[in-house]
């Protein structure tokens, strides 16, 4: 079956296929207001329907199912007749019949358009129910930034500069590691800001941390790995990614100094996934001794540490903690992302890989999607090298600190019985409730009634692996705790969101 595009008869090249070949195909597509629509008469003709009736049926169906929206201008009878290889008069008669039925509208000098219809199209059923946070009045869910801060003007300017200077080969198929411009910019930036020791040949650009983690787990599975140690509390979607790659998750207990990495000794996990700068969701920072213990374990067992530095640039009441990767770049995989600093929708992340993992992870990236989008990579590289990215991060850090201070002050005044922790960095706080407080399930029900969305600590608990040798995670506190994000609500709603939270906690 063949299709062709047409706009005006005068613009058609002389080399186009003949009317007889198009008639044999029985199909046409045309440009209308910049879009293409395909008509297929083959099946109707094969069933014995006449040419005119087949054309009428095809056009009527296109209007009914919404492919031809009201007001869409149709091609001239001459143009459509040539594309279909049928007589112009046949098209004129079909247009006339559909106009009489009310499907089309025709005015002298204005051509033929799809008529306005009062019958609404049936609503399509959503593939997935909307998330609660999208229907709630106040969104205090953790793990997301204020996307209204995205530097649209700066991004647009950087895109223009990047496109003006990029070599032609940048838009061809390239290395699965990513564009060299971004890898070089990240090498310099990460060394300066996070203390990461790497080079462009060991950096891989990926579609956010989710893809990066999946690639790493698949590479470890290829090395006959069976399990990955994870922090006792974490992100369930990340644990799903690990298990989807064929690895089991083995929880590692936490306390106020972070993951208890000394308990890795004697275990057979292939790697351990840590959030050392700001544990998610508890907010603890991994102590120097436990960082050293994790690296020592990795060296002794031919294992790896996966360092998820998801919000390392946002710290408020302490000196910045350098990346753990600097302790041993051949045993620690550093994973960073623009999801918190810019926006999750960019889907830009990066892995600083040990030498032994570069080839297998790059090969898996090639198999997954070839490479990450080039223009976004070039734009981010331009943002970083121009200093615009640093300025944006500093402005965002001040914005989030003010949000955090507002939340902490309000809770201290109106809910002093609630202990606020994990607030030295990041975009969320943990609210430890007193003994005897309602259950997390009850608090979530109350929040829903009040139009509030927030997280609870229990939903971040990693499931222990099955088996008789399983050591259950040692929960640090049996009392319920809330995980409250303070980045997401717009400025006009943030004070009201905090008020609603304090009111909910007032009687707890």
């Amino acid at each position: 079956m063949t299709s062709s595009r047409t706009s005006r008869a005068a613009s058609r090249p002389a080399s186009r296929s003949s009317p007889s070949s198009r008639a044999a195909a029985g199909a046409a597509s045309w440009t209308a207001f910049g879009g293409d629509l395909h008509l297929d008469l083959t099946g109707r003709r094969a069933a014995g329907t006449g040419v005119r009736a087949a054309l009428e049926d095809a056009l009527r169906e296109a209007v009914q199912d919404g492919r031809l929206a009201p007001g869409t201008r149709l091609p001239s009878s001459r143009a459509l007749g040539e594309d279909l290889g049928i007589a112009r008069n046949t098209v004129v008669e079909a247009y006339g019949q559909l106009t009489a039925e009310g499907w089309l509208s025709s005015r002298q000098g204005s051509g033929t358009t799809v008529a306005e219809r009062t019958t609404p199209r049936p609503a399509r059923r959503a593939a997935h129910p909307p998330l609660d946070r999208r229907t709630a009045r106040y969104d205090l869910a953790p793990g997301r930034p204020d996307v209204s801060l995205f530097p649209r003007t700066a991004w647009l300017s950087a895109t223009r500069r990047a496109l003006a200077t990029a070599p032609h080969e940048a838009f061809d198929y390239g290395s699965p590691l990513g564009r060299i411009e971004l890898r070089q910019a990240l090498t310099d930036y990460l060394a300066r800001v996070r203390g990461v020791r790497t080079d462009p040949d060991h950096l891989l650009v990926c579609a956010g941390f989710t893809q990066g983690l999946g690639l790493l787990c698949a590479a470890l599975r290829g090395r006959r790995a069976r399990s990955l140690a994870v922090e006792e509390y974490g992100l369930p979607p990340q644990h799903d990614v690990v298990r989807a790659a064929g690895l089991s998750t083995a929880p590692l207990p936490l306390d106020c100094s972070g993951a208890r990495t000394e308990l890795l000794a004697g275990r057979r996990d292939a790697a351990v996934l840590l959030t050392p700068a700001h544990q998610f969701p508890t907010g603890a920072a991994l102590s120097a001794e436990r960082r050293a213990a994790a690296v020592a374990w990795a060296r002794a067992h031919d294992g790896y540490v996966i360092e998820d530095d998801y919000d390392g640039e946002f710290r408020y009441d302490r000196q910045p903690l350098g990346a753990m990767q600097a302790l041993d770049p051949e045993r620690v995989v550093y994973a960073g992302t623009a999801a918190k600093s810019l926006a999750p929708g960019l889907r830009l992340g990066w892995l600083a890989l040990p030498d032994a993992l570069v080839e297998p992870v790059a090969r898996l990236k090639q198999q997954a999607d070839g490479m990450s989008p080039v223009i976004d990579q070039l734009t981010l590289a331009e943002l970083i090298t121009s200093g615009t990215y640093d300025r944006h991060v500093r402005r965002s850090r001040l914005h989030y600190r003010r949000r955090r201070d507002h939340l902490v002050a309000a809770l201290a005044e109106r809910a002093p019985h609630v202990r606020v922790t994990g607030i030295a960095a990041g975009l969320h706080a943990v609210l430890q409730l007193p003994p005897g407080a309602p259950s997390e399930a009850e608090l979530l029900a109350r929040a829903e009634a009040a139009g509030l969305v927030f997280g609870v600590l229990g939903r971040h608990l990693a499931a222990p692996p099955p088996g008789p040798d399983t050591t259950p995670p040692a929960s640090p506190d049996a009392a319920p705790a809330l995980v409250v994000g303070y980045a997401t609500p717009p400025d006009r709603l943030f004070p009201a969101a905090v008020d609603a939270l304090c009111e909910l906690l007032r009687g707890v």
Side-chain angles (χ1 to χ4, degrees), residues 24-301:
S29 66
W30 64 84
T31 300
F33 296 117
D36 289 341
L37 178 70
H38 183 74
L39 279 183
D40 185 3
L41 310 185
T42 306
R44 293 176 173 86
R45 296 296 307 281
T49 305
V51 176
R52 174 182 157 183
L55 177 59
E56 290 175 7
D57 288 346
L59 285 168
R60 193 181 291 112
E61 181 181 277
V63 175
Q64 283 180 314
D65 65 18
R67 287 184 294 127
L68 280 176
T72 300
R73 183 177 178 180
L74 301 185
S76 69
S77 56
R78 184 186 302 277
L80 184 57
E82 288 184 3
D83 271 356
L84 289 171
I86 61 180
R88 177 186 179 187
N89 285 345
T90 301
V91 180
V92 171
E93 292 170 0
Y95 278 3
Q97 177 63 32
L98 294 175
T99 299
E101 293 177 8
W103 297 101
L104 304 180
S105 176
S106 179
R107 291 184 181 180
Q108 185 68 29
S110 299
T112 303
T113 60
V114 177
E116 298 292 336
R117 296 179 61 81
T118 57
T119 304
R121 294 186 211 167
R124 296 188 66 182
R125 184 176 173 182
H128 301 284
L131 297 175
D132 290 344
R133 66 174 179 80
R134 296 180 181 176
T135 58
R137 185 177 182 186
Y138 304 120
D139 183 1
L140 295 174
R144 292 170 22 254
D146 181 356
V147 292
S148 72
L149 298 181
F150 181 76
R152 298 178 187 229
T153 301
W155 184 267
L156 181 60
S157 298
T159 301
R160 287 172 174 161
R161 293 194 301 271
L163 289 176
T165 58
H168 296 310
E169 56 88 17
F171 305 102
D172 200 350
Y173 294 107
S175 169
L177 293 175
R179 283 301 304 171
I180 184 61
E181 295 90 343
L182 180 55
R183 289 186 282 128
Q184 184 61 65
L186 285 171
T187 296
D188 299 338
Y189 175 81
L190 294 173
R192 171 170 55 86
V193 175
R194 304 297 297 130
V196 173
R197 295 162 51 196
T198 190
D199 58 64
D201 292 336
H202 289 80
L203 272 173
L204 180 139
V205 180
C206 51
F209 179 67
T210 298
Q211 185 187 51
L213 178 61
L215 295 174
L216 288 168
C217 290
L220 293 173
R221 182 65 175 152
R223 295 162 56 100
R224 300 184 183 276
R226 299 179 61 185
S227 66
L228 184 81
V230 298
E231 294 165 323
E232 176 183 19
Y233 289 96
L235 276 174
Q238 292 183 359
H239 303 158
D240 293 340
V241 170
V242 175
R243 289 188 283 266
L247 303 178
S248 63
T249 54
L252 198 61
L254 293 165
D255 60 23
C256 60
S257 295
R260 296 189 57 192
T261 55
E262 74 278 8
L263 298 180
L264 287 169
R267 292 173 52 157
R268 297 182 180 180
D269 305 306
V272 56
L273 172 61
L274 300 174
T275 49
H278 186 232
Q279 202 282 324
F280 188 87
T282 67
L286 190 64
S287 68
E289 295 78 12
R290 292 185 178 179
R291 291 181 174 216
V295 172
W297 167 82
R299 290 170 178 165
H301 292 81

Side-chain angles (χ1 to χ4, degrees), residues 254-436:
L254 293 165
D255 60 23
C256 60
S257 295
R260 296 189 57 192
T261 55
E262 74 278 8
L263 298 180
L264 287 169
R267 292 173 52 157
R268 297 182 180 180
D269 305 306
V272 56
L273 172 61
L274 300 174
T275 49
H278 186 232
Q279 202 282 324
F280 188 87
T282 67
L286 190 64
S287 68
E289 295 78 12
R290 292 185 178 179
R291 291 181 174 216
V295 172
W297 167 82
R299 290 170 178 165
H301 292 81
D302 191 24
Y304 292 97
V305 176
I306 302 173
E307 178 181 12
D308 179 9
D309 194 31
Y310 67 99
D311 65 359
E313 291 149 320
F314 297 118
R315 81 282 179 200
Y316 313 116
D317 302 325
R318 69 182 187 206
Q319 292 298 314
L321 298 175
M324 185 175 170
Q325 184 261 7
L327 296 177
D328 192 339
E330 290 305 313
R331 287 297 161 191
V332 182
V333 178
Y334 176 87
T337 175
K340 304 298 186 293
S341 59
L342 286 172
L346 287 179
R347 306 314 303 145
L348 279 174
W350 43 87
L351 303 175
L353 296 164
D355 192 66
L357 291 181
V358 172
E359 190 279 329
V361 174
R363 176 165 31 85
L364 289 165
K365 170 67 175 176
Q366 176 73 58
Q367 295 169 358
D369 57 13
M371 60 185 189
S372 294
V374 165
I375 295 177
D376 289 345
Q377 293 186 63
L378 294 173
T379 301
L380 181 56
E382 174 64 27
L383 278 183
I384 294 172
T385 55
S386 67
T388 305
Y389 184 77
D390 282 85
R391 292 190 291 273
H392 170 73
V393 169
R394 285 195 295 270
R395 286 193 297 268
S396 300
R397 186 185 301 136
L398 179 60
H399 173 79
Y400 292 136
R401 179 167 186 162
R402 288 171 176 164
R403 288 276 186 99
R404 184 208 63 168
D405 291 348
H406 181 107
L407 173 66
V408 172
L411 289 169
E413 178 183 354
R414 300 169 59 184
H417 55 290
V418 174
R419 187 165 69 96
V420 185
T421 62
I423 56 173
L427 308 179
H428 72 275
V430 177
L431 310 187
Q432 302 280 354
L433 304 184

